[in-house]
Amino acid sequence: MITYVSRRLGLLVPILVGITFITFMVSRAIPTDPVVAALGQQAADHPNIVAAYRAQWGLNESLLIQYLIYMKNLFHGNLGQSIYTHRPVAEDLLSYMPATIELAGFTILLSVFISVPLGVLAAVKRGTVVDLLVRLLTLIGVAMPIFWLALAGLELFYFHMGIVPGPGRLSPLLNPPPRVTGLFTIDSLLARQWGTFNNALAHLILPSLILATWTAGTLTRMTRTSMLAVLPQGYLNTARSKGASELYTILRHALPNALIPVVTIVGLVFGDLLTGVILIETLFSWPGIGRYAYEAAIYADFPAIIGITLVFGVTYSLVNLGVDVVYARLDPRIRTAMALGRR
Amino acid sequence: MAGTTPLLEVDNLHIAVQVADGFREVVRGVSLRADHGNALGLVGESGSGKTLTTSAIVRILPAAARITDGQVRLNGEDLTHASARRVAAIRGKEISLVVQDSLASLNPIMRVGKQVCEPLLLHHLVNRKRAASRAADMLRSLGLPDPARLTQGYPHEFSGGMRQRAMIATALIASPQLIIADEPTTALDATVQAQILDILARLNRDMGVALILISHDLAVVSEICDHIGVMYAGRIVETGSSRAILGQPMHPYTQALVESVPMSGLPRGSRLKAIPGEPPSIEAFPSGCPFSTRCRHATNICRQKEPELTARNEGRVACWHAEEIANGAGSRLAAVQTITAASIEGADPPVPRQPPEELLRVESITRHYRVPSAWPFLPPLHIHALDEVSLTVRRGETLGIAGETGCGKSTLANCLLRLADVDSGRILFRGHDITNIRGEELRRLRRYIQPIFQDPYGSLNPRQRVRSLVAEALTSHGTPAAERENRVIEVLQFVGLGAHFADKFPHELSGGQRQRVGIGRAIAINPELIIADEPVSALDVSVQAQVINLFMDLQRRFALTLIFISHDLRVVRHLSSHVAIMFLGKVIEYGPAEAVCTTPLHPYTAALLSSVPGISHDPSTGRLILRGDPPSPTSPPSGCRFRTRCPYAAATCAEVAPELQRHENGRMVACHFPGIASEFIGSGEGLGGRHQSVVAARQA
Amino acid sequence: MGPVAAAEGRRAIAARGLSKLGQVARRDPQLAVSVVVLVLAAAAILGAGFLTSTSPSAQDVFHRLQPPNWAHPFGTDQLGRDVLARVLYGGRISLPAAVVVVLFGASVGTMLGMLAGYGGRTIDEVVMRVTDVVLAFPVLVLAMAVSAALGASLVNGIIALSAVWWPSYVRVCRGMIMELRERQFVVAARAAGRSSLNVLSRVILPNVIPALLVMAFVDVGRAILDFSILSFLGLGIRPPAPEWGSMVATGVEVMDQWWVATFPGLAILVVVFAFNLLGDSVRDALDPWVSGRR
């Protein structure tokens, strides 16, 4: 297991190098002067400043050297300065991260709570109206243009009915709770600010519900398929023959087995989640990395784009590694195979 | 007995299964009874309804199946109409199930110990802690070493035999009155099968647990059951005492079943009495007597009206012609005995002066699979699939290779076919070294060596028609199209399929038909050597006999050279002129088939022979039942690899690995004490103190 | 055969074809629904000129933001353009663009997958590492970066999506080939004397293609969705071209006039849904075949 994880972490290095390299090359393909883009026209008129900047980023050297210098700076935590916010990219990323983690985490929680019961129900009632309905709903969820759904949701539930708070993480009148984790819900709980907690939670509900249409759609379908594969297994009949009730058989023997493959697609779902985060954060003015990414793209803010790509790439890879490790923990067969080095 | 209520009574049970257009009755009026201390055997092929019947007893039926009529009564209580809660209270506590595939039947992600003690917890018999210790006790009592470790393990970590014993432990733990064992030994090796049957027989005999044993194999059932019911197309067609069913079968189907098993005593190469056709599919049972389509005694009345199960002699039979058949057939056992006598007289034919040309020569080939170690810097593990195996096959010979799971017989087949590479050693075909040839040269070799595979489902490409499958080798080696077509038709007719099969896809064929296509594909190009890896083990008993007969036709017609690999010594012996017995990557005995099977020199061969469930087996004969499971191929024991399971192992066995050495009459054996167990075979004496005294004598 | 007989014959064939279709629909209503929806959608998009006489870019300042009525069944937008016409003509951009992306992704991915699965360890290692890199890329961020660098346009959008579309095909194709290679019927084909290229092209590939087709069907839907996302963010096609995603974006400004954003969004939902349903039904229909069992 240890070898496996370290080998996988080792594989992360070429992935990161590849991601930065590709993004870096794309950024250099734009026909604008990076100095002007980074420093603004006023600063660019001062030759001293320009020379210092060019030296720091090796702009007089070849592209490859520039890339190596970029990597060296990256290694020291220097991702460059954002063209749009005029702040160090690393600092921007750190300040926007918690909002995104809060939104994405809540979405995953919601999806799991919706998907698992629905998937199990559809599988057990295979071929009935319930099954048909669940499958229809999940297909619609997967096919949903969520930016459209977000607009409709805001229009209906915020502007017209007023049952959810509007965009943002907190109502403008409230101060954020003292920062511990950066997640407003958790921080407000830690500070025992119940009002702030309720407000933060209320702000989370609509965006994460909409974000969850994709993830819950995929997860429900997977749970159903996986459950259908488990239901004819002999060990369920063994459990019944021991005297287990139908409910016990489904919950204690079938479900744990069915959920193992579902874990493996969390990585896949995560890719969808990143896309969704960009849309939803933009539409809900959610001060997270997704909105930062949108703004960076609109203003061709390449230092920021590379930084965001890196964060997303690392997160994606780590999540997938985590998924595989969890998968192995859950399934003793995979554990054995990994111990023998067969994976 | 008339007044008492039997433990279990199945009365006129009918089960229907949903098919494309409505319900079809697949169990049609089955009645059985089981009592304390009794063992009832149910025998039938796939689709006979035997498993549905027993599933209906505990009401664990597939979703598509319904009980349409009849009753199941346990101690007089009707289970067919009891509430689900009531039936659940009976399952595992009064009636337990042991099913075939122990890997599929155990929850893969739950510790074995927890699964074994689950019935106790579900029925609230004892608390958690007590249940766990009961599970360990139960596993120990079934002869499993180190049960504490076993209870903490997961199913995939254990061998088939260990898992099956865990299943039996689960079934026993709540002390049920009845155990239903559905094909409990089917996927197991012969020596392990013998262990499991032994356990079941002891339960029944010593603990008085009633037993219903279901199997496709009449021989297995006859080992431990005192009553047998034979099922065909959803009905019991004959029932009676085991002795009567085997000695004086009245139904032509039972007769054919008895005769379609190649047994010790039948002369080698004699045709088996195969039943033509295949078991009817549940989609369409024939009208009248369902067996009439395959029965050589069938007359008009058989095709029109289905016979009732009526009492005759000591048993009951459902056949219009039972009387004539019973009178005409005579005792099967008597017939076998005369054949045995005759064949022994004619044994050991004179060795011809000039032995035929050597077709294949294998010199000390070794194949290890490397499994990387779990930790960095540690050397990788090696799986010893083949270890210095040497063999020769002469033109026209049939070499049978027998051995249990993991002995390397399939790896050997793949190496000889050059589908896998060897690490060292040489393979010579007609004197040419083919060990390392590649590319075009290897492709040309394939013309001369053809395989037949085990799995009739997996070995045919689902997207190719039979024509193109059979012609595959011809096409690859450039036979012109017209000639190819003729040859395909010719081959299809030879394997008993007929020309109209050429346009079918594999999924339109039954298992037996698929295997015939597989054989046709191998012979189409007239190869010089055919290597068949377990070609009959996936088939129904009656179909198995047909395919074995087809192999004998092949031998006769084409003077083929054949390497026939099987775990079933009965089949190997029946078809082969020579046999090689393998154990853990090594050939441990080799010689003429008849000689090896009558006077085995290696104790492992003796054990294999002894564990063959034989219909003519004399119950008073002791059996050489091996302990434990085959050792792991990643770390074989020092010295003789068999020593950990060998009842005769002495000190030298652990130190010196015995070489395969020549013996008289062209026989070879790898044992320090050749012939030590041969006196065991065929002697009337039990195992008891015998082998201990032998071992003691050696050590003294 | 006279013309009458020929016409009769044709009618008979048509009737038989219809009844066959009826059978399929009864046996697999899911497949029937998806096919009908897609055929209707394709017909509406191709025959946009027949369904509406208005041009998608014709502005009419006197009829701005009209709710759905007989003249404009889907209403009009801020510039008085007919929403129905724009939705129909919008399909002429989204559908072909999605098909191009998937065709490119599927063919490149399948070829690389074959190479990785059948070309030996070194090639496998190289291909899979590159695939891992692209797979770890956040699709939308990369597409956004490409658009930002090259400017937002139809072609750049297609390039951006194609660049990240192929890795999943490499994975699936390689995985299936690896698995099939060990299957007995493939071993049997080798033993019959087929060359290894022949085994790949004639035995393995025919068993891989159906699964990839299923994937491609579903993917066309996904590509339409991703394309509309890019356009919605202003990084795909620029207005005034009638692309569904950018039409929803223009509707943001006038949410009280619900029809402006609703109909293009609905168009995306229906078409993507139909492609998903089609993929599902084809998978179900192929499953016993793909697995090689009865």
Side-chain angles (χ1 to χ4, degrees):
Chain A
M1 187 60 128
I2 296 163
T3 21
Y4 176 74
V5 172
S6 50
R7 209 175 65 216
R8 282 286 298 265
L9 284 175
L11 283 179
L12 209 56
V13 174
I15 289 179
L16 292 185
V17 171
I19 287 177
T20 48
F21 185 76
I22 294 174
T23 325
F24 186 83
M25 289 304 154
V26 171
S27 76
R28 287 298 184 259
I30 40 170
T32 46
D33 182 355
V35 183
V36 179
L39 304 178
Q41 195 58 51
Q42 263 185 338
D45 289 338
H46 294 273
N48 292 349
I49 301 177
V50 173
Y53 185 85
R54 293 192 87 91
Q56 189 195 353
W57 295 96
L59 291 184
N60 300 323
E61 311 285 339
S62 70
L63 266 184
L64 194 66
I65 302 290
Q66 287 185 32
Y67 174 68
L68 290 179
I69 291 172
Y70 176 82
M71 287 303 280
K72 200 188 88 197
N73 285 327
L74 175 70
F75 205 71
H76 293 111
N78 182 358
L79 288 161
Q81 200 178 34
S82 160
I83 295 166
Y84 170 61
T85 63
H86 297 293
R87 293 195 306 170
V89 172
E91 205 174 285
D92 273 348
L93 288 174
L94 276 181
S95 70
Y96 290 135
M97 195 100 74
T100 302
I101 291 176
E102 187 166 37
L103 179 64
F106 196 68
T107 304
I108 289 178
L109 269 183
L110 265 182
S111 316
V112 170
F113 276 112
I114 297 170
S115 302
V116 172
L118 272 189
V120 171
L121 192 70
V124 172
K125 305 249 173 218
R126 180 183 198 176
T128 62
V129 184
V130 179
D131 183 25
L132 190 76
L133 219 65
V134 170
R135 282 176 55 209
L136 204 71
L137 272 177
T138 57
L139 265 184
I140 290 177
V142 173
M144 182 62 73
I146 57 166
F147 53 90
W148 180 69
L149 190 67
L151 289 177
L154 271 177
E155 178 71 15
L156 201 65
F157 297 116
Y158 172 58
F159 288 114
H160 282 286
M161 298 164 76
I163 51 173
V164 294
R169 296 178 76 188
L170 272 183
S171 296
L173 298 174
L174 285 172
N175 287 322
R179 178 167 175 146
V180 182
T181 59
L183 311 185
F184 285 1
T185 44
I186 293 180
D187 286 353
S188 60
L189 276 184
L190 291 176
R192 295 171 200 283
Q193 298 177 349
W194 309 121
T196 315
F197 172 76
N198 284 338
N199 193 271
L201 195 66
H203 274 86
L204 261 175
I205 285 179
L206 189 61
S208 43
L209 262 182
I210 289 168
L211 201 47
T213 45
W214 276 350
T215 44
T218 316
L219 280 177
T220 310
R221 284 161 63 82
M222 189 66 193
T223 309
R224 176 180 173 272
T225 311
S226 175
M227 204 55 196
L228 284 180
V230 168
L231 284 178
Q233 294 294 319
Y235 52 81
L236 299 191
N237 275 345
T238 306
R240 291 183 188 110
S241 78
K242 292 173 184 174
S245 68
E246 201 53 36
L247 193 67
Y248 179 96
T249 308
I250 298 291
L251 293 185
R252 296 298 296 275
H253 285 275
L255 188 58
N257 276 287
L259 285 185
I260 292 171
V262 176
V263 168
T264 60
I265 65 140
V266 165
L268 191 85
V269 167
F270 198 75
D272 279 351
L273 204 58
L274 293 184
T275 304
V277 154
I278 295 174
L279 287 168
I280 297 299
E281 289 190 355
T282 307
L283 287 169
F284 279 82
S285 309
W286 196 268
I289 294 199
R291 200 181 62 160
Y292 186 52
Y294 169 72
E295 282 163 357
I298 291 293
Y299 295 102
D301 183 355
F302 270 96
I305 288 181
I306 302 181
I308 293 159
T309 318
L310 260 182
V311 169
F312 278 6
V314 170
T315 320
Y316 179 84
S317 304
L318 285 180
V319 163
N320 273 301
L321 172 60
V323 161
D324 286 356
V325 170
V326 170
Y327 183 49
R329 288 248 60 88
L330 292 178
D331 193 332
R333 290 164 294 183
I334 306 295
R335 206 149 67 218
T336 310
M338 267 164 69
L340 285 173
R342 279 193 217 125
R343 263 170 67 97
Chain B
M1 290 286 282
T4 56
T5 321
L7 172 64
L8 178 88
E9 206 173 6
V10 175
D11 188 11
N12 192 30
L13 187 70
H14 289 253
I15 300 172
V17 166
Q18 194 161 23
V19 288
D21 53 337
F23 279 89
R24 192 75 35 88
E25 274 214 333
V26 290
V27 171
R28 306 172 298 137
V30 167
S31 301
L32 323 157
R33 51 193 287 168
D35 251 315
H36 294 282
N38 274 5
L40 170 69
L42 270 186
V43 178
E45 295 177 284
S46 55
S48 64
K50 56 191 193 306
T51 296
L52 272 182
T53 303
T54 47
S55 310
I57 294 174
V58 284
R59 293 227 325 246
I60 302 181
L61 284 168
R66 305 255 177 293
I67 299 175
T68 48
D69 196 12
Q71 265 195 355
V72 175
R73 285 186 295 270
L74 182 74
N75 292 320
E77 180 189 357
D78 178 13
L79 294 188
T80 21
H81 299 99
S83 69
R85 181 185 287 264
R86 175 66 193 137
V87 178
I90 284 167
R91 291 179 195 150
K93 191 154 164 265
E94 314 289 340
I95 307 176
S96 286
L97 276 182
V98 176
V99 296
Q100 171 182 350
D101 187 351
S102 56
L103 186 58
S105 306
L106 288 168
N107 188 337
I109 59 170
M110 200 188 257
R111 291 183 199 281
V112 169
K114 186 150 187 261
Q115 299 191 52
V116 171
C117 68
E118 214 174 7
L120 292 176
L121 301 173
L122 283 166
H123 296 288
H124 308 289
L125 295 175
V126 294
N127 64 26
R128 224 161 255 286
K129 214 170 148 207
R130 189 80 193 85
S133 73
R134 283 275 298 276
D137 292 346
M138 188 54 84
L139 291 170
R140 188 177 297 115
S141 73
L142 292 180
L144 285 165
D146 201 359
R149 191 180 63 90
L150 186 66
T151 52
Q152 289 306 304
Y154 291 96
H156 71 279
E157 297 167 8
F158 303 107
S159 70
M162 288 163 99
R163 281 196 300 262
Q164 196 55 284
R165 268 174 285 189
M167 282 299 290
I168 294 176
T170 315
L172 276 177
I173 198 154
S175 318
Q177 306 181 56
L178 170 68
I179 288 185
I180 299 173
D182 188 352
E183 304 268 12
T185 62
T186 299
L188 302 177
D189 281 316
T191 59
V192 182
Q193 165 166 298
Q195 292 169 356
I196 298 291
L197 288 178
D198 189 47
I199 290 175
L200 289 174
R202 280 210 315 261
L203 285 179
N204 178 240
R205 202 175 48 227
D206 305 344
M207 293 168 63
V209 180
L211 181 69
I212 297 181
L213 177 66
I214 304 163
S215 179
H216 65 282
D217 192 339
L218 197 52
V220 166
V221 167
S222 70
E223 288 278 305
I224 49 176
C225 293
D226 31 46
H227 259 75
I228 292 178
V230 179
M231 288 191 73
Y232 191 83
R235 301 192 72 179
I236 291 186
V237 294
E238 180 167 1
T239 165
S241 70
S242 301
R243 189 163 284 276
I245 294 271
L246 294 174
Q248 206 117 38
M250 293 185 285
H251 197 283
Y253 177 63
T254 319
Q255 278 189 346
L257 274 188
V258 172
E259 291 170 10
S260 64
V261 181
M263 285 174 303
S264 51
L266 271 183
R268 184 180 98 78
S270 62
R271 286 186 72 84
L272 300 172
K273 285 210 175 128
I275 314 170
E278 309 217 4
S281 91
I282 60 157
E283 299 283 324
F285 286 149
S287 63
C289 170
F291 188 61
S292 61
T293 49
R294 303 172 76 189
C295 180
R296 59 194 148 160
H297 304 284
T299 56
N300 271 339
I301 187 166
C302 302
R303 285 174 210 111
Q304 281 154 9
K305 210 160 160 245
E306 186 161 11
E308 293 290 317
L309 194 61
T310 43
R312 204 175 293 275
N313 298 343
E314 290 162 51
R316 303 203 298 159
V317 61
C319 175
W320 294 116
H321 304 294
E323 197 143 354
E324 306 130 59
I325 291 167
N327 291 340
S331 166
R332 149 115 185 134
L333 282 181
V336 169
Q337 270 146 19
T338 53
I339 293 172
T340 315
S343 64
I344 284 172
E345 272 170 43
D348 288 335
V351 184
R353 297 262 159 223
Q354 280 187 316
E357 170 206 7
E358 242 177 49
L359 190 64
L360 184 77
R361 188 183 181 85
V362 176
E363 290 176 354
S364 182
I365 59 171
T366 297
R367 165 108 177 134
H368 289 185
Y369 291 104
R370 281 159 57 98
V371 177
S373 149
W375 297 92
F377 313 116
L378 286 185
L381 300 167
H382 287 271
I383 292 185
H384 301 244
L386 287 179
D387 219 349
E388 312 216 323
V389 168
S390 300
L391 288 170
T392 8
V393 185
R394 296 179 183 280
R395 196 178 282 281
E397 239 175 48
T398 295
L399 171 67
I401 299 178
E404 295 178 290
T405 315
C407 73
K409 54 192 197 299
S410 289
T411 308
L412 178 61
N414 284 336
C415 289
L416 298 184
L417 283 161
R418 290 285 286 107
L419 292 167
D421 289 326
V422 297
D423 297 330
S424 63
R426 291 207 304 163
I427 305 170
L428 300 172
F429 182 69
R430 294 199 311 196
H432 300 286
D433 189 340
I434 60 163
T435 325
N436 292 309
I437 60 169
R438 311 223 158 266
E440 189 54 25
E441 207 182 342
L442 175 59
R443 212 178 66 75
R444 277 203 303 273
L445 169 77
R446 306 233 182 266
R447 198 203 161 299
Y448 303 101
I449 307 180
Q450 282 288 308
I452 295 171
F453 293 99
Q454 167 179 10
D455 179 4
Y457 292 93
S459 60
L460 302 179
N461 185 353
R463 286 168 197 283
Q464 266 175 287
R465 285 179 201 277
V466 167
R467 165 178 292 108
S468 120
L469 284 166
V470 171
E472 198 157 28
L474 299 171
T475 320
S476 302
H477 294 100
T479 311
E483 197 179 316
R484 221 155 58 202
E485 178 66 20
N486 288 339
R487 182 68 184 150
V488 167
I489 304 300
E490 196 183 345
V491 164
L492 283 179
Q493 262 149 5
F494 178 79
V495 297
L497 285 177
H500 63 285
F501 274 88
D503 288 316
K504 290 187 191 268
F505 279 104
H507 67 90
E508 297 170 284
L509 309 180
S510 68
Q513 289 167 340
R514 281 160 170 254
Q515 203 53 300
R516 286 166 193 271
V517 172
I519 293 170
R521 169 169 64 180
I523 60 172
I525 197 159
N526 265 324
E528 302 200 350
L529 174 64
I530 286 186
I531 300 178
D533 187 2
E534 299 268 12
V536 297
S537 57
L539 303 174
D540 263 318
V541 183
S542 67
V543 181
Q544 214 175 58
Q546 296 167 16
V547 175
I548 291 171
N549 282 342
L550 182 58
F551 269 101
M552 287 184 303
D553 292 343
L554 280 177
Q555 291 170 327
R556 219 158 293 157
R557 215 26 211 268
F558 300 111
L560 256 183
T561 314
L562 183 66
I563 295 181
F564 191 97
I565 297 172
S566 176
H567 68 283
D568 190 339
L569 210 50
R570 294 179 291 188
V571 178
V572 167
R573 175 190 192 178
H574 195 74
L575 280 172
S576 313
S577 54
H578 292 74
V579 292
I581 312 288
M582 291 186 69
F583 185 81
L584 219 61
K586 283 200 174 279
V587 173
I588 50 104
E589 181 161 5
Y590 169 85
E594 209 49 46
V596 172
C597 295
T598 44
T599 56
L601 294 175
H602 198 287
Y604 178 62
T605 314
L608 269 186
L609 281 166
S610 167
S611 57
V612 167
I615 292 171
S616 56
H617 201 91
D618 182 354
S620 67
T621 311
R623 307 215 116 177
L624 185 53
I625 295 177
L626 294 178
R627 295 164 296 182
D629 297 286
S632 155
T634 51
S635 50
S638 66
C640 174
R641 290 183 176 184
F642 181 60
R643 72 176 165 85
T644 53
R645 296 185 81 196
C646 183
Y648 304 98
T652 40
C653 299
E655 288 152 18
V656 185
E659 295 285 314
L660 190 63
Q661 278 176 338
R662 285 200 186 285
H663 225 254
E664 74 268 14
N665 295 333
R667 300 182 62 176
M668 299 171 92
V669 64
C671 180
H672 291 303
F673 311 113
I676 191 167
S678 67
E679 42 204 315
F680 191 80
I681 291 291
S683 82
E685 226 171 313
L687 188 56
R690 187 180 179 85
H691 75 264
Q692 284 160 6
S693 62
V694 173
V695 175
R698 290 281 170 198
Q699 280 164 345
Chain C
M1 197 194 278
V4 180
E8 290 268 295
R10 232 171 306 162
R11 207 167 305 139
I13 289 169
R16 219 173 315 136
L18 271 182
S19 82
K20 192 127 193 194
L21 270 182
Q23 275 173 23
V24 171
R26 258 197 306 282
R27 211 173 328 123
D28 196 346
Q30 194 180 314
L31 182 69
V33 168
S34 58
V35 169
V36 166
V37 170
L38 286 178
V39 167
L40 282 183
I45 289 163
L46 288 176
F50 295 103
L51 288 175
T52 169
S53 49
T54 10
S55 150
S57 50
Q59 302 185 0
D60 181 356
V61 280
F62 299 109
H63 296 95
R64 292 170 60 228
L65 293 172
Q66 289 204 338
N69 56 47
W70 277 114
H72 305 285
F74 285 4
T76 59
D77 67 5
Q78 296 97 312
L79 299 171
R81 294 174 298 195
D82 182 50
V83 175
L84 173 66
R86 290 180 66 75
V87 166
L88 291 179
Y89 282 97
R92 293 192 176 180
I93 296 172
S94 302
L95 261 178
V99 170
V100 168
V101 167
V102 172
L103 269 184
F104 176 84
S107 40
V108 169
T110 306
M111 265 186 278
L112 286 176
M114 273 157 55
L115 217 59
Y118 215 69
R121 283 195 72 135
T122 329
I123 299 179
D124 182 28
E125 204 55 33
V126 171
V127 171
M128 289 323 285
R129 287 298 79 77
V130 174
T131 306
D132 279 349
V133 170
V134 180
L135 213 55
F137 248 106
V139 178
L140 195 58
V141 177
L142 183 77
M144 282 168 26
V146 170
S147 299
L150 306 177
S153 78
L154 177 64
V155 177
N156 289 348
I158 292 178
I159 292 176
L161 285 185
S162 302
V164 291
W165 211 266
W166 51 271
S168 51
Y169 288 86
V170 180
R171 285 240 154 151
V172 170
C173 182
R174 168 179 176 271
M176 288 187 71
I177 288 180
M178 292 272 190
E179 195 227 307
L180 280 166
R181 264 170 46 170
E182 307 299 317
R183 290 274 283 273
Q184 249 186 13
F185 70 83
V186 176
V187 176
R190 268 167 67 205
R194 286 174 185 263
S195 65
S196 60
L197 210 63
N198 186 291
V199 170
L200 177 65
S201 63
R202 296 298 185 80
V203 183
I204 294 182
L205 266 195
N207 284 289
V208 175
I209 298 289
L212 293 180
L213 268 182
V214 171
M215 224 174 123
F217 280 137
V218 177
D219 263 9
V220 172
R222 284 206 57 108
I224 291 176
L225 199 54
D226 280 8
F227 215 75
S228 70
I229 291 171
L230 272 187
S231 304
F232 175 78
L233 291 175
L235 296 162
I237 300 167
R238 286 295 171 93
E243 205 283 338
W244 292 338
S246 63
M247 287 168 70
V248 174
T250 54
V252 175
E253 301 153 20
V254 286
M255 279 311 283
D256 275 338
Q257 281 75 31
W258 55 269
W259 55 89
V260 182
T262 301
F263 289 110
L266 215 54
I268 301 171
L269 179 60
V270 169
V271 173
V272 178
F273 175 81
F275 273 111
N276 272 302
L277 197 62
L278 180 67
D280 259 21
S281 356
V282 176
R283 181 184 303 126
D284 289 351
L286 285 177
D287 223 9
W289 239 49
V290 172
S291 69
R293 297 260 156 186
R294 260 192 292 196

